[in-house]
Amino acid sequence: MAGHTQTHPPSLAYAVARLISLGVVFHAIYSWSIFDIYFRSPLVHGMTPIKPSLEAPAQRLLLFVADGLRADKLFENRMSGAPFLRDAVLTSGSWGVSHTRVPTESRPGHVALIAGFYEDVSAVTKGWKMNPVNFDSVFNQSFHTWSFGSPDILPMFSEGASDPRSVETIMYPQESEDFADDASKLDIWVFEKFDALFETAKQDSNLDSLLRKPGIVFFLHLLGLDTNGHAHRPYSREYLENIELVDRGVKAATETLERFYNHDGRTSYIFTADHGMSNQGNHGDGNPDNTRTPLIAWGAGIARAKINSGLINYVDAYTSAWGLTTTPRIDVEQADIAPLMSTLLGVPYPVNSVGVLPLAYLAGSEGYKARSAFENAQQILAQYRVKSEMKRRTEPFFRAFQPLHDDEQFLRMIDDEIVDGHYLNAIESSQQLIRLCLQGLRYYQTYDWLFLRSIVSLGYLGWVSYSTLFILRGGIVPLSSTYQKAVEAQKSSNILTIALGTAGFAASSLFLHYKESPPMYYAYLFFPFFFWTMCLGQSKFVLTLLKSITRDRDRLVSTGASIVFYVAALEILVYSYFCREVLSPCLWVLGLLWPRTFSQDLRAKHYTLLRVWAVMCLSTSVFPFLSAEKHENALLVGLGGAAIVASGIFALTTIANYTTSELPKSAGSVTTSSSGGLLAFETVVALVSTLTTIDTTLRLRAKTGLPLLNQGIAWCVLGVAILIPILDGGRRGQHYLRRLVVIYLAFAPVFVFLTISYEALFYFSFSGLIATWLLLERVIHSETRADVPGTDSTATSAVASRLPRNLELSDLRVTAIFLLLSNVAFFGTGNLASVASFSLSSVYRFTTVFDPFIMGALLILKILIPFFLLSAVLAVLARALALPAFALFLLVLATTDVMTLNFFFLVKDHGSWLEIGSTISHFVIASAFIVFQCLLFAASWALVGGVLVPDLETRRWKKRH
């Protein structure tokens, strides 16, 4: 008999499918909980706009946003690459660093700049270009706005305007955003179209009249730096030359405006960026290089800051090398720029703005500044009042924010101070009111935190308990007749428990209805009631199980030790999210120390396998120590491809002989006849992919563009990689090792195309590691199951190794190793908790035209490929260990939310942006892990569900007889 299969009652298979489906739905819904708790949209509506009451210093404003420009790259070396902007900094204006927030993406960055508020982090998932929620903006409040630039940014402000005709968009086509081309041409296009507007006005009297109206805005969105930063990195010659081009363009645009308006001194200029750029050429997370952007303001209404003006000068290690200490650096939060623009133009503040007017940037008297600060405070207070009233109306036990219980008196006090000429006191009081309003908004924003976090915590704990009880009760672990009787005895009392749980959920739902809670809150509430109702319905079974364990001291100690070991392993994996280097010592322990716990006989018998296992552990442990910020390296790509091709040749020459010796003649002949041609084809595809990837890399580096032939090969290889496992999977009687090699070589060429550095070497090493782990676990299982009481014959041992079995405590070790390898797959080539760890350069072999969905899908595929292999190995391993196909998976499903709960309580919505972004990523990854596992379990079962897994003892017995 060449392999074994294990069958379970259809009712159990149905119950498992139901549990998995429930797990997918539960985790998909609860993955969203942090956005409803920590990052709800801060917007409220119904406020009356507050318009500056004093005469505006400017009639028009020109806003330059250099997408993806890091502050240090502009300011370093005394701004040697931007002489015009340097003159604005040193002689005619004010400057500083604008601090952005996560996610450091273009959409939320522009919203903060132009609307004055920070979108909830989840808004990026609701729409890259259009508005996920309605909001006000400086453009909307202006008399007219002309915007020039990218179709990814401009439409969201025109579509959301109260009068879309008042916000004009002049955009280049989407196809122009090509990473393989010189992206500075995008900025040239913007500057040319801006000049063309004024040339047109010379022949168009209506346009000329419109351009001379007060309260108009010109917005120039300059995408070239972001595109060049992605393609060439922010320290590259292309990026630095693009800064020089932008500086020349800003100078030309300024001169065009001054000539048109005859140097009337009524134009304000603001130059800034939406986000920065990491050294790897990415953004999105809270890396300081992504959150620090330049801000330079000059022109009408802007103060000319001097070092002795009493302003605090930020001089630190970050600034000292810039050589700009003769004028003070005035830092702001990104949202503060919106009220600054409104004040300069004299248009109403965006009603949703939480920006604090940076008075240090304003020229004018103390009275002017005091009145402006007061109106800024009134605008933020209006939001506080609306939010307070919303909570008062929906909360049965409302608790008001006490510091602002009498805000009218606060307003009268500030007004009196201005009337009496106590301007500095009025400014201080206005800023204090703003601080209190922001604290009050924060108070009501977090009002439901305790309630919601309690619900979510009970939900996760309920899932762990419910799924664990399913494993204990479902025949997946051995139970004596005593436990089965307890299960049967409980059934009669389940109706009462369900009735009580239903009544509790109904009462709680009425409470949510009174609070006018969103629909997702009811889903969050449903799961704790469902899980704990089901668990309480099995209380007799749980008590019986606990009594049995506590009566047997040895069993109690072994069970407790196993659980402690497993939980400790989970906590180590939690730490690996913060420090991926910790994965390497774990691999050292597995490779060097774990084999020392094996019997002397096993170590002697499988000496070569254990040495290979140690080598694979040590080689894979190198990668977590390597920098996540990878740079293109054609040599490493070539070495990785060569290693994969060599492994294909090795498999081609050995796999047929190995599999034939383990399978019956009929199955072995099928495997032999079908293996050679397919493995040879896959090896050739891997070789072609490696050569094509290197050629594409060199051509892109030479700026000759992405060759159409190379691009076609890449997409064809992707299609082949998907088809081969599907078509080959229909072949029955395959040896498991052959099938795994086919899958490994099918995905390898795609992974090579997505490689920019050492990733292909990781793929080779990691694949060898998990294959060796599978072989080692087979050996351990065979040796331990061979010791059947009452017999010592090899034939009987072979039968024993095939006996169906249930989960045991030792299987916690297998699950812990699987979770460790899952983290190695995630973090081996980068820090997945950091969006910026995965370079867009990886997808340039497939496309260089910016498309967030295609590029994002390819990056996700790159992340998931090692996971496909690991899940396939887990599915084969369950067969090799004589377990039900779903047993190990259910153990993973039931226990990994210990990690998720850790990350749930570690989520931050304050502090450094790096911490905020990392904690969000950690929770989403841990929670989505279950959903990924469910999908990959189904995929792996489709990939390897029909393979044959021979028993080692059967193989040895056949050789002897």
Side-chain angles (χ1 to χ4, degrees):
M1 184 173 182
H4 59 263
T5 58
Q6 187 174 353
T7 60
H8 286 266
S11 58
L12 178 59
Y14 173 75
V16 170
R18 187 173 57 187
L19 179 70
I20 293 174
S21 301
L22 178 63
V24 170
V25 173
F26 166 69
H27 286 90
I29 290 175
Y30 265 49
S31 293
W32 201 254
S33 63
I34 62 165
F35 299 112
D36 276 333
I37 296 174
Y38 299 100
F39 304 103
R40 288 183 301 156
S41 175
L43 299 190
V44 291
H45 302 282
M47 295 80 67
T48 301
I50 304 294
K51 182 178 180 179
S53 58
L54 301 177
E55 181 183 358
Q59 283 195 337
R60 67 203 70 90
L61 183 141
L62 176 52
L63 172 64
F64 304 94
V65 177
D67 200 309
L69 176 58
R70 274 169 52 165
D72 60 333
K73 292 304 175 184
L74 175 65
F75 292 136
E76 65 186 5
N77 300 321
R78 200 172 170 79
M79 302 182 67
S80 58
F84 178 79
L85 290 173
R86 179 181 60 209
D87 288 342
V89 166
L90 298 178
T91 63
S92 61
S94 297
W95 72 286
V97 173
S98 170
H99 297 274
T100 70
R101 293 191 181 184
V102 289
T104 46
E105 299 289 350
S106 292
R107 178 199 163 78
H110 281 88
V111 168
L113 280 170
I114 299 165
F117 72 92
Y118 302 102
E119 283 190 295
D120 56 304
V121 178
S122 62
V124 172
T125 66
K126 299 174 185 174
W128 283 81
K129 305 173 186 177
M130 295 297 111
N131 304 325
V133 289
N134 292 322
F135 62 85
D136 194 15
S137 70
V138 175
F139 296 172
N140 186 50
Q141 295 292 352
S142 69
F143 182 81
H144 200 91
T145 294
W146 287 268
S147 54
F148 305 81
S150 169
D152 298 328
I153 298 299
L154 305 191
M156 69 179 177
F157 294 104
S158 61
E159 296 293 332
S162 54
D163 181 7
R165 293 173 300 176
S166 68
V167 182
E168 293 189 39
T169 58
I170 299 94
M171 302 176 290
Y172 42 74
Q174 183 80 49
E175 295 74 25
S176 298
E177 300 177 22
D178 192 338
F179 291 103
D181 205 349
D182 182 5
S184 62
K185 70 178 185 180
L186 301 176
D187 299 338
I188 295 173
W189 186 96
V190 168
F191 290 126
E192 289 176 347
K193 292 298 181 182
F194 178 74
D195 286 339
L197 176 70
F198 294 94
E199 289 297 322
T200 303
K202 294 177 180 179
Q203 287 82 37
D204 188 337
S205 58
N206 291 330
L207 176 59
D208 182 82
S209 176
L210 186 58
L211 286 168
R212 299 186 188 279
K213 297 289 185 180
I216 62 174
V217 177
F218 304 99
F219 169 43
L220 274 58
H221 176 239
L222 307 170
L223 186 62
L225 283 162
D226 184 75
T227 308
N228 272 326
H230 286 308
H232 306 291
R233 308 297 186 269
Y235 47 79
S236 65
R237 177 177 55 83
E238 292 81 1
Y239 189 87
L240 299 178
E241 287 179 351
N242 205 153
I243 292 177
E244 296 175 2
L245 183 147
V246 165
D247 181 71
R248 294 193 298 271
V250 170
K251 179 182 179 181
T254 303
E255 292 172 348
T256 296
L257 227 59
E258 292 297 329
R259 283 195 305 270
F260 185 83
Y261 293 108
N262 199 27
H263 300 275
D264 63 356
R266 301 301 303 276
T267 307
S268 298
Y269 302 91
I270 291 180
F271 180 91
T272 187
D274 54 346
H275 56 74
M277 181 80 64
S278 71
N279 285 332
Q280 196 182 358
N282 284 318
H283 52 83
D285 64 3
N287 186 305
D289 287 333
N290 294 332
T291 62
R292 293 187 290 212
T293 61
L295 172 61
I296 304 172
W298 70 98
I302 299 297
R304 298 181 181 181
K306 299 298 180 183
I307 196 66
N308 57 358
S309 60
L311 297 172
I312 298 175
N313 190 21
Y314 293 87
V315 179
D316 50 26
Y318 179 64
T319 306
S320 58
W322 297 350
L324 298 174
T325 55
T326 56
T327 56
R329 167 185 150 194
I330 308 168
D331 284 14
V332 301
E333 297 296 318
Q334 192 172 48
D336 299 345
I337 298 174
L340 174 62
M341 293 191 292
S342 296
T343 301
L344 293 170
L345 281 173
V347 300
Y349 298 104
V351 294
N352 304 116
S353 172
V354 294
V356 180
L357 180 62
L359 297 176
Y361 278 84
L362 288 179
S365 65
E366 294 297 334
Y368 170 75
K369 293 182 180 180
R371 178 61 63 180
S372 299
F374 182 41
E375 289 162 350
N376 183 207
Q378 288 177 295
Q379 175 262 320
I380 297 177
L381 177 63
Q383 296 179 71
Y384 166 81
R385 286 174 167 174
V386 170
K387 199 144 194 170
S388 175
E389 184 56 34
M390 288 174 57
K391 276 298 175 187
R392 187 189 304 275
R393 180 171 52 84
T394 60
E395 287 297 326
F397 310 104
F398 179 72
R399 303 180 308 278
F401 181 64
Q402 288 303 312
L404 283 178
H405 69 282
D406 190 1
D407 50 50
E408 282 293 344
Q409 182 180 352
F410 219 130
L411 292 176
R412 287 193 298 269
M413 179 188 70
I414 299 173
D415 193 49
D416 290 342
E417 289 174 339
I418 294 175
V419 171
D420 295 339
H422 301 150
Y423 299 129
L424 293 180
N425 290 340
I427 291 173
E428 185 177 345
S429 298
S430 295
Q431 291 175 341
Q432 181 184 1
L433 178 57
I434 290 174
R435 286 193 295 270
L436 290 175
C437 288
L438 294 177
Q439 291 173 15
L441 288 170
R442 170 73 177 174
Y443 172 79
Y444 291 120
Q445 188 80 0
T446 62
Y447 195 89
D448 294 324
W449 271 23
L450 178 62
F451 173 66
L452 291 173
R453 288 199 286 193
S454 299
I455 289 176
V456 171
S457 299
L458 289 171
Y460 277 117
L461 292 173
W463 164 257
V464 172
S465 302
Y466 175 76
S467 53
T468 301
L469 283 176
F470 177 89
I471 293 173
L472 293 173
R473 294 179 55 247
I476 300 172
V477 296
L479 293 177
S480 67
S481 59
T482 304
Y483 304 131
Q484 297 294 346
K485 291 177 181 177
V487 172
E488 294 297 325
Q490 191 79 46
K491 290 182 179 179
S492 60
S493 62
N494 279 354
I495 297 176
L496 177 60
T497 305
I498 293 173
L500 291 175
T502 304
F505 175 70
S508 300
S509 297
L510 289 175
F511 178 72
L512 290 181
H513 179 72
Y514 182 84
K515 288 166 61 69
E516 299 182 5
S517 300
M520 285 294 288
Y521 285 24
Y522 295 88
Y524 300 147
L525 184 67
F526 167 77
F527 286 106
F529 275 100
F530 174 78
F531 290 143
W532 288 109
T533 297
M534 295 295 101
C535 291
L536 290 175
Q538 302 301 322
S539 55
K540 290 183 180 178
F541 167 76
V542 174
L543 291 174
T544 304
L545 183 63
L546 290 175
K547 288 178 182 178
S548 172
I549 293 175
T550 54
R551 279 199 298 265
D552 188 339
R553 183 174 179 181
D554 291 340
R555 186 180 180 189
L556 176 63
V557 171
S558 62
T559 301
S562 298
I563 293 174
V564 169
F565 159 78
Y566 189 68
V567 173
L570 292 179
E571 292 301 321
I572 291 174
L573 295 182
V574 168
Y575 184 69
S576 72
Y577 278 68
F578 300 92
C579 178
R580 67 191 185 106
E581 291 82 2
V582 76
L583 296 171
S584 296
C586 294
L587 291 173
W588 298 342
V589 170
L590 283 181
L592 301 177
L593 299 183
W594 179 41
R596 294 182 179 276
T597 64
F598 301 164
S599 67
Q600 188 67 34
D601 182 58
L602 188 151
R603 282 187 284 169
K605 193 182 302 182
H606 301 282
Y607 177 85
T608 302
L609 176 62
L610 292 177
R611 289 297 173 269
V612 173
W613 167 250
V615 170
M616 299 314 300
C617 284
L618 293 176
S619 62
T620 307
S621 71
V622 172
F623 294 96
F625 283 114
L626 300 179
S627 173
E629 294 190 355
K630 298 177 289 293
H631 309 296
E632 279 199 292
N633 189 318
L635 176 60
L636 289 178
V637 174
L639 289 175
I644 292 171
V645 170
S647 65
I649 295 173
F650 175 78
L652 183 63
T653 57
T654 60
I655 197 72
N657 294 332
Y658 182 84
T659 55
T660 302
S661 67
E662 285 198 336
L663 295 180
K665 291 184 179 179
S666 57
S669 61
V670 171
T671 299
T672 303
S673 61
S674 62
S675 292
L678 181 57
L679 294 182
F681 172 74
E682 289 184 312
T683 303
V684 170
V685 171
L687 176 61
V688 171
S689 299
T690 302
L691 296 176
T692 304
T693 300
I694 295 173
D695 180 67
T696 302
T697 300
L698 297 177
R699 289 177 182 270
L700 290 175
R701 190 179 298 169
K703 296 184 181 180
T704 59
L706 174 61
L708 185 61
L709 176 62
N710 292 18
Q711 185 180 24
I713 292 174
W715 285 107
C716 289
V717 166
L718 178 60
V720 169
I722 296 172
L723 287 176
I724 285 180
I726 296 174
L727 298 178
D728 185 66
R731 197 186 305 276
R732 309 303 297 177
Q734 294 189 60
H735 189 280
Y736 75 95
L737 210 53
R738 175 206 177 270
R739 178 64 175 159
L740 290 176
V741 170
V742 168
I743 296 171
Y744 157 73
L745 289 176
F747 286 120
V750 179
F751 204 83
V752 169
F753 272 118
L754 292 170
T755 292
I756 63 172
S757 182
Y758 57 77
E759 302 100 300
L761 287 170
F762 169 79
Y763 180 79
F764 166 76
S765 181
F766 180 76
S767 301
L769 175 67
I770 59 178
T772 311
W773 176 52
L774 170 60
L775 298 175
L776 186 57
E777 290 289 357
R778 284 187 72 209
V779 166
I780 296 171
H781 169 69
S782 176
E783 296 293 334
T784 54
R785 297 288 285 179
D787 188 15
V788 178
T791 180
D792 58 357
S793 73
T794 307
T796 307
S797 298
V799 174
S801 67
R802 296 196 305 270
L803 291 176
R805 70 179 184 90
N806 302 103
L807 282 173
E808 300 167 354
L809 284 175
S810 61
D811 292 317
L812 284 175
R813 181 203 72 241
V814 178
T815 307
I817 294 176
F818 170 76
L819 291 174
L820 169 65
L821 295 176
S822 298
N823 277 33
V824 173
F826 269 127
F827 299 117
T829 59
N831 180 9
L832 189 62
S834 167
V835 178
S837 288
F838 296 91
S839 173
L840 281 181
S841 303
S842 299
V843 305
Y844 291 168
R845 286 86 180 192
F846 292 90
T847 180
T848 55
V849 176
F850 179 69
D851 188 314
F853 298 103
I854 292 178
M855 290 179 165
L858 289 170
L859 286 175
I860 291 174
L861 176 63
K862 180 180 179 179
I863 295 168
L864 290 183
I865 284 176
F867 232 109
F868 277 119
L869 294 178
L870 182 58
S871 297
V873 166
L874 185 69
V876 172
L877 185 58
R879 298 273 301 279
L881 301 184
L883 285 168
F886 45 75
L888 290 175
F889 170 71
L890 286 182
L891 200 53
V892 173
L893 200 68
T895 55
T896 49
D897 276 334
V898 173
M899 298 169 60
T900 308
L901 264 179
N902 274 269
F903 294 127
F904 176 73
F905 283 103
L906 289 172
V907 170
K908 294 182 178 181
D909 69 335
H910 61 280
S912 75
W913 309 137
L914 180 60
E915 292 174 335
I916 295 172
S918 295
T919 58
I920 294 171
S921 303
H922 293 160
F923 172 80
V924 172
I925 292 167
S927 189
F929 178 81
I930 299 297
V931 180
F932 278 133
Q933 276 301 314
C934 293
L935 298 176
L936 290 174
F937 171 73
S940 64
W941 186 246
L943 289 174
V944 297
V947 300
L948 298 177
V949 185
D951 302 300
L952 293 178
E953 289 300 328
T954 301
R955 180 186 178 189
R956 297 187 191 115
W957 188 82
K958 283 170 58 182
K959 285 184 177 180
R960 296 175 185 176
H961 297 80

